Amino acid sequence: MTTPITKTTAKSTAAATASARPRPAWAALADTVFARTYPGDSPAKGSGLGAQLAAMRRDAKEDGATHGERLRTRALAEWDDPEEEEADNLSDLIAEAGLEDDAALPSGIPAAEVVTAEDIAQALIDGDDAWAMDTGTADYRPPLAVEPADVVTLARIAKTFGTQDTVNAHLAQGAAALLLCTTDEEAQQAVIVLKSALRAAGAAARTTLAPNILAVTASGLRVGSERTRAEGKITDPVPLLIVTAQEPTSLPGALAHLPASPLAPHCADTLLWTLRRTHSATGKLTEGAVRAALPDDSALARLPQDLIDLALRQQGPLRVARKLAELADLAVTESDGPTLADLPGLGEAGSQLSRIVEGLVAYRAGDLPWSDVTNGLLLSGPPGTGKTTVAAALARSLGVPLIATSFSSWQEAGTGGRDVMKAMATTFAEARAAASSTQGGVAVVLIDEIDSFQSRDETRDHNTSYFTNTTNALLAHLDGAVAREGVLVIGATNHAGKLDPALVRPGRLGTRIAIGHPTAQDFPAVLRFHLRDDLAGLDLGRIARAAAGLSMAEAAALVQEARAMARADKRAMVEDDLFAALARDRLPLPRALRQRAAVYLAGHAVAAHVTGSTRPDALRLAGIVGRADLTQRPDARSRADITRELVTLLAGRAAEEVLIGGAPSGRCGGDAGSDLARATQLAIREGLSYGYGSLVWCPGDGDPATHFARHPGLRDRVASRLDGAYGRAVDLIHANRDAVEAIAGHLLVDGVVEGDTLRDLLVYCGSVSRDAPDGPEARDAIWLGM
């Protein structure tokens, strides 16, 4: 947040100069490096602009009066004239106060010394800093030609090292270290500054050798040669400093084990130090006003260098600060949304996430080491359950912004693998910078739709190398708790089963949290959350029962549609608007169709329970098909395990046939995510990939039609396998008809069956041992050659 300048606040800072606060400890090192980089007198000293300007002031003396005294005398005399026209701005005031014969010459005297406090205050409101503007030129140009991008990088390097002793240690014989930057461009800029300015001092200067300072970029044509050259310098006793935007763990050989320090992020102190040298003609500025105009350090740390450079194009330090605040406001994620405590309907997931936040808060307070907190988690669940919203709420609970990205976002940098990996490295570098911007800082990165990173076990084709390299790059960024200390990485997916197993192992995204649909008990609270103050005091039970089965996203859309209806009629929202919005989204279903959907879902739940292939968690009668929330149980992928899963997948169709009679509907089939499609793919993998058809492995994923064309007889074997499993499913439904009917009846009445209610209804089921025989004599053991 920045502080707006008013007349009152401007007056209070009118006399503030560069000494408003104690200088940071690293500033002495920065001054030394700056003087070495830009030889000669510099405005950093605050009391003069060098010998040339001092000579100008001596030449300007008249009758023992200094140039500044003459200007003040004349200015005050003219301003006391009541007929004098008011100047438009600070530059006009200075022009009026100056002398015709030398007004264009730099004086080294701040404009604040020749104008009144009232004028200084008005100048601050207008964006001018009278302490930074030169009296003679009415300009902010410093006496030395400096490059702002170099100077701000110099300040960050000085803050990183801190003292000359630290520099000497890095330049001692045999010393080797890494300096971590956020981008390749930043690394290359740092190398330029380091090569021209980094020198040992004192006694160490007599014994140290000129250092090898190398950039190792994350992408580009020279990546290989840069790495090779850096590795070759390990055997050289000359001091070595490698500047890179790569994760240390991704560097080859011994380079990965060098001590690493992140380049200090942008902050108010480094920018104020820079602005005194790049945007002040006097070496001074109104620190209170400029500091108040700057965004906070965490926001500055998140700004990429190109936006910093854009702001540095402004005239004067105050305008630079205001531009940075404007850019930070555009870059910061909206922070007025809900925290985890505000979100209803999370159930056990909410408790797990709250414990993670508590651990991170303890880490930030210094009460826990990073190794004891969760540093990576996976949010999984069906579409619309609010995984992205949950991640943003977690970040708000910590008081930090969410750095949200995805594979497709990284692809926007370019479709090549190197482009994606470079964008990926930039994201993680920005997160590291944000986490290190404050003591014990934390940053949260969300990788949405993380299943876009294909598992390396998937079918091999011409894209295999591309996906393998990008997945490996992501794994490298997720590795190394120390290298990304303070960075919590969250992956979100609708298809957890498609992820590369290496992504979800402990130390990466090892904590998995399922985000499901809100329960029937939680649904009134979900509606109240989205309604906010609308329909205050209304019992939402009736609409909650009618809308049972909706996801978090669908509930939000329902309320949004109801509000739109009320606005269209120019009135306040009423309960009927919610029912009307629900009816618009859900066309009334004939009872026979609802009954068929209820039976279909109940068949799935009963088969899952009886076979033990999956755990039935909830059934929701929404739309024509509804949803069955089933949790896959771990198994050995034996033929018995595969049979149980096939039976469960086909049990919905079987329940329709047994309980309703006649031809079953086509709801079992449809798209690639349908029950029939999944059963077909599983049967294909059984024959080609699991070693049950023969001991020759073939990839079982991809288009079934392609597999059938390549493998003669496969289609007939798959059809026979599915027919056998379907026969078992029909037998199971016959044996557990009472349970199917009871669950379907509750679904028709309540719309949702879950939790204890579902478990109580499943007691009507018979039991089938998970170790039931499943050999060649079984009705579905029909693979040829067995």
Side-chain angles (χ1 to χ4, degrees), residues 282-361:
T282 67
K284 300 179 180 181
L285 48 76
T286 310
E287 180 175 323
V290 177
R291 188 182 289 274
L294 285 168
D296 60 43
D297 285 353
S298 62
L300 286 170
R302 292 191 299 270
L303 285 177
Q305 184 61 44
D306 59 347
L307 293 186
I308 299 288
D309 293 340
L310 177 61
L312 289 172
R313 294 177 63 86
Q314 300 294 308
Q315 295 296 310
L318 190 53
R319 289 193 177 91
V320 172
R322 291 178 178 178
K323 186 64 175 180
L324 286 168
E326 174 191 333
L327 295 171
D329 287 341
L330 295 175
V332 172
T333 303
E334 184 180 351
S335 60
D336 60 353
T339 64
L340 285 175
D342 300 323
L343 286 181
L346 293 179
E348 176 58 27
S351 300
Q352 291 177 271
L353 291 165
S354 295
R355 288 193 291 270
I356 290 172
V357 169
E358 290 171 3
L360 290 167
V361 170

Side-chain angles (χ1 to χ4, degrees), residues 33 66 139 147 187 239 280 288 329 364 477 505 569 590 646 660 785:
V33 175
T66 66
D139 192 60
E147 176 60 47
S280 174
D329 287 341
R364 192 157 55 184
H477 286 297
R505 72 159 176 77
D569 293 341
L646 290 173
I660 299 175

